[in-house]
Amino acid sequence: MELDREYNGNEIGHFRFFVSMSLAEPRDGLLMVTFGTSDRADRASAKSVADVEAMRAGILHGMMGAKWERRIPTSEDEPEEDVADSDESLDDGEGTSVGTFTSVGLENVRFLRAEFGYGGGSFRFGPYLRLSDIDDCMIALFMNKSLAEKIKAIHFIGNQYKLAEYGRDGFRIDMHGKCEPNLIFTPSELTDEWRRIMRNSGPFSVRYSEMTPIRLFEPVEASNSLPGRRSTKPNI
């Protein structure tokens, strides 16, 4: 997300920025993902408003992020009566938590990113989302009002490909819909009310039939030190 100018971290202060993405077709049972970021780096571990209020507020002093998945229920998902749910897999309004992160704050802010992905390094054990899986998906953004008013453009990027871009005349800000991530926000923070952002005609979407992704990197050719080999096949 690109802001209308570069802001000092103190000008941004408290912020919250979350994305809800619904797939057109389930991928291995996955229906929807929700992900986003906010200030107060330890917010995800807070158990009460007092815990949050004890943290330094504002994007300048630290950031956190979280992500959730919502999947089609299966018989294996039915909890046993004598097994208590763990905090790590608690299913809240946005789905099942699949990870959080913390990061240092930002002194100057021109871009803000909400990211969804999977770790795993060189070896990945799926299933994972592929670029083809998000074709025709529906996307809505949710954030605090003061942040929404600073937006210049919204950029969608996946696997180092630019998938879509919407300028200020291509989206609307409204008070409809809701986003209730399983995170604690203080009453003071919530006075800066939630806003929903979508296209003028409905949810944002990624449609490869309408927009061709742009590669954001330059490919490098593999080196070849092998000598040329003559073909033994006769020319016809």
Side-chain angles (χ1 to χ4, degrees), residues 25-99:
E25 297 182 6
R27 160 71 167 159
D28 294 311
L30 180 62
L31 293 171
M32 182 181 75
V33 296
T34 302
F35 54 98
T37 180
S38 184
D39 62 322
R40 289 178 154 146
D42 294 321
R43 186 186 298 273
S45 61
K47 302 299 183 184
S48 66
V49 170
D51 290 343
V52 177
E53 291 176 335
M55 304 172 192
R56 297 192 71 181
I59 195 171
L60 183 64
H61 302 296
M63 301 165 59
M64 59 77 60
K67 53 189 178 182
W68 300 265
E69 292 182 340
R70 183 168 291 283
R71 293 180 176 271
I72 299 173
T74 65
S75 58
E76 296 177 356
D77 296 329
E78 294 297 328
E80 297 181 10
E81 294 183 0
D82 58 344
V83 178
D85 291 334
S86 68
D87 291 340
E88 295 298 322
S89 62
L90 185 64
D91 193 325
D92 55 56
E94 301 303 327
T96 301
S97 174
V98 291

Side-chain angles (χ1 to χ4, degrees), residues 1 20 22 31 46 81 87 98 105 114 143 149 182 197 215 224:
M1 182 172 68
S20 175
S22 299
L31 293 171
E81 294 183 0
D87 291 340
V98 291
M143 63 193 70
E149 293 171 345
N182 189 29
I197 300 178
R215 187 170 56 199
N224 181 23

Side-chain angles (χ1 to χ4, degrees), residues 11 16 18 25 34 61 87-88 93 120 142 160 188 205 212 227:
E11 293 181 89
R16 51 191 190 273
F18 291 85
E25 297 182 6
T34 302
H61 302 296
D87 291 340
E88 295 298 322
F142 299 87
Q160 299 188 59
S188 175
S205 62
T212 302

Side-chain angles (χ1 to χ4, degrees), residues 11 16 35 49 88 91-92 102 110 129 132 135 143 150 166 190 194:
E11 293 181 89
R16 51 191 190 273
F35 54 98
V49 170
E88 295 298 322
D91 193 325
D92 55 56
T102 62
R110 182 62 190 269
L129 282 178
S132 58
D135 188 22
M143 63 193 70
K150 296 177 174 65
Y166 296 90
L190 293 175
W194 285 101

Side-chain angles (χ1 to χ4, degrees), residues 55-211:
M55 304 172 192
R56 297 192 71 181
I59 195 171
L60 183 64
H61 302 296
M63 301 165 59
M64 59 77 60
K67 53 189 178 182
W68 300 265
E69 292 182 340
R70 183 168 291 283
R71 293 180 176 271
I72 299 173
T74 65
S75 58
E76 296 177 356
D77 296 329
E78 294 297 328
E80 297 181 10
E81 294 183 0
D82 58 344
V83 178
D85 291 334
S86 68
D87 291 340
E88 295 298 322
S89 62
L90 185 64
D91 193 325
D92 55 56
E94 301 303 327
T96 301
S97 174
V98 291
T100 61
F101 72 85
T102 62
S103 73
V104 298
L106 296 176
E107 185 174 348
N108 298 296
V109 186
R110 182 62 190 269
F111 293 89
L112 272 174
R113 297 186 297 177
E115 299 178 303
F116 184 89
Y118 300 92
S122 300
F123 300 95
R124 296 183 178 182
F125 301 92
Y128 294 106
L129 282 178
R130 302 167 299 188
L131 281 183
S132 58
D133 296 324
I134 64 175
D135 188 22
D136 209 28
C137 66
M138 295 186 295
I139 304 172
L141 278 56
F142 299 87
M143 63 193 70
N144 52 306
K145 177 177 180 290
S146 62
L147 180 61
E149 293 171 345
K150 296 177 174 65
I151 299 175
K152 175 184 177 182
I154 296 169
H155 308 269
F156 294 98
I157 297 172
N159 288 0
Q160 299 188 59
Y161 283 85
K162 182 71 168 288
L163 306 179
E165 178 178 330
Y166 296 90
R168 186 60 190 88
D169 59 349
F171 61 85
R172 72 175 190 267
I173 302 172
D174 62 41
M175 299 176 63
H176 303 296
K178 64 178 182 178
C179 182
E180 298 179 348
N182 189 29
L183 298 169
I184 297 175
F185 297 99
T186 69
S188 175
E189 291 172 337
L190 293 175
T191 59
D192 192 358
E193 298 176 339
W194 285 101
R195 291 292 184 268
R196 183 183 68 173
I197 300 178
M198 300 198 304
R199 285 192 308 176
N200 294 325
S201 58
F204 294 109
S205 62
V206 174
R207 291 193 175 101
Y208 301 139
S209 61
E210 297 178 358
M211 193 175 301

